[in-house]
Each structure stands twice: as structure tokens, then as C-alpha cells.
Amino acid sequence: MRITVFRRMMAEEFGEVRAEMMARDHVFSALGGRTADQALDAGLPPKEIWLAVCDAFDVPRERR
């Protein structure tokens, strides 16, 4: 998964403004206590980050 795809899926699932806020501000324990943006900057795969977001916010399997 590319970062652009990750960003698009976040916006589609949560809305553009909320997705940006979540990526910047929400700390995920599954990402080592990082936000999604910090995890991306650290080089974690976008797919791994997306799945952590989905788990944290109970995104249905068909939209993962």
C-alpha cells in the first residue's frame, strides 16, 4: 500500500478533516505509542498502520 492510498482510505472512512486530525494526534499502542504520521515518518508500512487504525476504530472487515 502506498502512502497516498493510506491517506485516501483514511479520508474515505473518517472524512478528510477527521482523518488528518487522527493521523496527527491519535496515539496508537499498536504502533509503538506513535501517531499514524509518526509511524509513517519512522518507515512503518502504510498497510500495517492502516490495520492498526482499523483495529482501534472497529472498521468493518469489508472496508479494511
Side-chain angles (χ1 to χ4, degrees), residues 14-64:
F14 302 106
E16 192 170 323
V17 173
R18 184 170 181 224
E20 289 177 17
M21 180 189 66
M22 285 172 51
R24 181 186 64 235
D25 298 332
H26 188 87
V27 175
F28 295 89
S29 59
L31 299 176
R34 297 179 180 112
T35 66
D37 285 346
Q38 290 169 334
L40 288 168
D41 289 342
L44 271 68
K47 178 88 174 184
E48 180 180 331
I49 299 166
W50 172 245
L51 293 175
V53 171
C54 290
D55 287 344
F57 290 95
D58 296 321
V59 174
R61 282 205 157 327
E62 61 272 6
R63 294 198 308 259
R64 291 181 179 213

